[in-house]
Amino acid sequence: MIVTLHEGKGFSLPPHYQSIFNNHFGSNVAGSARPNSSSSYAAGSIGGSFVAHHNRPVSTSGGINSAPTNHGRYNSKYLPYALLDFDKLQVFVDAVSGSPENPLWAGDNTSYKFDVSRVTELSVQLYLRNPAARPGAGRSEDIFLGGCRVTPRFEEAGQFIPDPKKSKKDNEKAEVAFRSQERQAGQLGAEWLDVQFGTGAVKIGVNYVESRQGSLKIEDFELLKVVGKGSFGKVMQVMKRDTGRIYALKTIRKAHIISRSEVTHTLAERSVLAQINNPFIVPLKFSFQSPEKLYFVLAFVNGGELFHHLQKEQRFDINRSRFYTAELLCALECLHGFKVIYRDLKPENILLDYSGHIALCDFGLCKLDMKDEDRTNSNVIEDLSS
């Protein structure tokens, strides 16, 4: 899938941060800090980081446009940026010109490719750098301007063919109905979309191009670094050469799983990941093999293990604990709906993504086709990737 970002119009800042811009730029400006703690998550949010603010003032002089200019041009650090999120893969896209209120992106001159392994939405979140952010805060305190969701069309567009036996009026009606049905199939091409949880609109293009490539092989990936090792193989951070997207590549040596009678567990892991589509479960993007190894290509979830965060903070507050528990229950409920029992629940197997949501991983001990009356025991065995 190819995504292009064109332009925005009518962006504004929420009023409760006006003092930040007023103090920094000397005029009344508004902003909203991007949340970075569990208490910031709100019901009905998009990607866990959206907080709704309505009735924002739109200003063409001052307000969001209060940052200084050089001969009428804004420095790129004062322009909004977009975060494209597709199937747990994220890309940051900076505006290149225009104003904070009406920014311009590169449009068709720069496209962003995403591998499609299942049908899911594209999330677009819009931010503005916070001039009063703490040193070292990174993007965590940037100002949230709003966002939107795109439902891409994963098939070629149809073409209306008039019926020569029908009248012109009937064909016109049929064409209107056809166009309406085509729009319901998803977006194809560039369209203006209203910004939710903010003001204005943004023009986004999406096009799906089916890959004619045959089976994947290890040469299709650039190996970046090893992120985990075990007796069965390793997990590496890799970049897919044709799209430039970053993944986690799990390699498993066939000889080891055969010698230790772990073939069933390994096949179960692939089977579960291939059929599950849940936002709180690490998605399997591809799988392939060589004569010596099996390869699982997974989304690279870069927020670290829940175990690491728990060790670092010693204790989570009640709201954060409830947040993680609710998402974990959603993941387990999804698995149970497919008659799958997880059997290896521990903080090391729960990852956090860039926005703080959980992603359950490592399905090597799963039990498939379980009935309500079935029982299962799991002995502690060596993990396939750690």
Side-chain angles (χ1 to χ4, degrees):
M1 182 177 72
I2 300 173
V3 179
T4 53
L5 203 55
H6 297 259
E7 58 183 305
K9 61 183 180 182
F11 292 176
S12 65
L13 295 154
H16 67 286
Y17 264 77
Q18 287 185 2
S19 59
I20 290 180
F21 276 71
N22 184 42
N23 293 334
H24 196 84
F25 295 125
S27 61
N28 291 326
V29 188
S32 160
R34 181 178 177 179
N36 59 355
S37 68
S38 61
S39 61
S40 300
Y41 292 100
S45 65
I46 299 177
S49 60
F50 285 17
V51 181
H53 301 287
H54 305 286
N55 302 319
R56 300 183 186 176
V58 179
S59 172
T60 56
S61 62
I64 194 171
N65 288 339
S66 291
T69 60
N70 184 9
H71 300 293
R73 294 178 60 88
Y74 286 91
N75 188 298
S76 60
K77 69 180 180 180
Y78 298 129
L79 295 174
Y81 66 86
L83 172 59
L84 308 180
D85 186 341
F86 181 77
D87 206 14
K88 288 199 175 293
L89 296 173
Q90 298 86 36
V91 177
F92 290 97
V93 186
D94 289 322
V96 296
S97 62
S99 68
E101 183 182 11
N102 302 305
L104 297 175
W105 279 272
D108 292 328
N109 293 325
T110 305
S111 59
Y112 302 90
K113 297 179 181 179
F114 293 90
D115 297 298
V116 178
S117 59
R118 60 184 183 179
V119 175
T120 187
E121 292 180 321
L122 169 70
S123 170
V124 181
Q125 303 173 25
L126 301 164
Y127 292 97
L128 190 66
R129 292 168 181 84
N130 189 345
R134 294 169 297 175
R139 299 182 188 266
S140 65
E141 296 181 5
D142 284 355
I143 300 161
F144 173 64
L145 300 178
C148 59
R149 287 185 177 272
V150 181
T151 302
R153 178 177 178 141
F154 297 111
E155 58 185 26
E156 294 182 1
Q159 185 176 0
F160 176 74
I161 301 176
D163 187 345
K165 297 180 181 180
K166 292 183 178 181
S167 66
K168 180 179 179 182
K169 187 174 182 180
D170 288 340
N171 273 318
E172 288 176 350
K173 289 181 179 179
E175 185 174 5
V176 170
F178 174 81
R179 299 299 178 201
S180 176
Q181 186 176 0
E182 285 286 291
R183 283 193 295 272
Q184 292 176 5
Q187 180 177 330
L188 189 65
E191 293 183 12
W192 281 97
L193 301 173
D194 290 335
V195 173
Q196 304 297 316
F197 308 100
T199 63
V202 61
K203 187 178 182 181
I204 303 166
V206 290
N207 286 285
Y208 176 69
V209 179
E210 186 174 352
S211 175
R212 307 297 180 186
Q213 182 181 359
S215 299
L216 288 171
K217 50 188 181 299
I218 192 62
E219 289 77 19
D220 294 323
F221 298 87
E222 180 181 343
L223 309 181
L224 302 178
K225 64 179 179 180
V226 176
V227 295
K229 279 187 177 181
S231 61
F232 287 88
K234 63 183 75 171
V235 177
M236 295 175 286
Q237 184 188 50
V238 300
M239 182 182 71
K240 194 163 180 280
R241 296 183 188 276
D242 59 347
T243 61
R245 300 280 76 85
I246 302 296
Y247 296 107
L249 176 66
K250 183 174 183 176
T251 67
I252 302 174
R253 290 192 287 271
K254 292 180 180 179
H256 281 236
I257 63 172
I258 292 172
S259 64
R260 302 190 186 189
S261 302
E262 293 300 329
V263 174
T264 301
H265 287 146
T266 305
L267 294 179
E269 179 173 17
R270 188 209 173 276
S271 177
V272 169
L273 290 172
Q275 63 182 316
I276 297 296
N277 186 354
N278 185 276
F280 309 124
I281 294 176
V282 174
L284 175 70
K285 303 295 292 186
F286 316 100
S287 62
F288 58 99
Q289 61 180 313
S290 68
E292 297 82 22
K293 295 179 181 179
L294 300 174
Y295 299 96
F296 294 166
V297 183
L298 305 148
F300 184 73
V301 182
N302 60 1
E305 297 174 355
L306 186 65
F307 179 75
H308 165 77
H309 294 277
L310 188 57
Q311 271 195 325
K312 181 180 177 181
E313 301 183 35
Q314 295 300 308
R315 184 180 211 171
F316 296 146
D317 64 50
I318 187 66
N319 289 330
R320 187 171 179 182
S321 300
R322 285 171 175 167
F323 177 77
Y324 293 149
T325 302
E327 294 193 338
L328 180 59
L329 286 174
C330 289
L332 295 176
E333 184 179 41
C334 176
L335 292 173
H336 293 172
F338 283 88
K339 299 181 179 180
V340 174
I341 302 300
Y342 183 65
R343 302 203 310 170
D344 196 19
L345 190 59
K346 55 186 179 182
E348 293 91 333
N349 286 342
I350 301 173
L351 305 177
L352 297 184
D353 67 14
Y354 77 99
S355 60
H357 293 287
I358 73 158
L360 193 62
C361 67
D362 203 338
F363 292 80
L365 291 183
C366 277
K367 195 81 171 179
L368 279 62
D369 299 320
M370 294 290 291
K371 300 180 178 62
D372 290 342
E373 64 274 12
D374 289 345
R375 297 291 181 269
T376 178
N377 296 315
S378 58
N379 298 319
V380 177
I381 65 169
E382 191 164 9
D383 188 272
L384 297 185
S385 62
S386 62

